[in-house]
Amino acid sequence: MATDDYLAHISTLTSEFHDGFHVISTQGQLLKIAQYFSPPIVTNAEIDYGKVFGGRYLAALFGSALSQVTAAGIASNGFGIAVFRRGVEVHFEGTT
């Protein structure tokens, strides 16, 4: 099964693996699923406080600033999709 198909399969609320971060190599290979991590706080991060967000948003934002991370993102029914690179939100699609 292709990586994107597998991620779509496990990202439903009925899947025990839907929560957490999934780690994908730069070649598109799925390395880890349903992981939690607590990256260091990026004190100078630009945060849009006009959005309603939570801990996973900040973990993805701060995690994307790590030198080993190419990009990080989150997706949820209530929030939408956000993608981060180098500690900056580069894409957002809200649900409303």
Side-chain angles (χ1 to χ4, degrees):
M1 184 181 292
T3 298
D4 55 347
D5 291 331
Y6 185 70
L7 288 174
H9 176 73
I10 67 169
S11 294
T12 62
L13 290 176
T14 57
S15 170
E16 65 183 312
F17 303 114
H18 79 277
D19 206 7
F21 287 82
H22 309 306
V23 180
I24 304 169
S25 72
T26 55
Q27 293 78 30
Q29 180 184 8
L30 187 60
L31 302 175
K32 296 181 183 278
I33 60 170
Q35 301 293 299
Y36 289 86
F37 76 113
S38 183
I41 294 171
V42 177
T43 57
N44 62 343
E46 294 181 24
I47 300 171
D48 180 358
Y49 290 100
K51 291 182 186 148
V52 177
F53 59 85
R56 280 178 277 198
Y57 178 93
L58 293 176
L61 172 66
F62 297 158
S64 75
L66 296 170
S67 62
Q68 320 84 299
V69 175
T70 302
I74 60 167
S76 71
N77 288 334
F79 176 76
I81 299 169
V83 178
F84 309 92
R85 286 182 174 265
R86 296 184 191 104
V88 176
E89 183 182 285
V90 295
H91 180 78
F92 176 72
E93 293 178 34
T95 58
T96 56

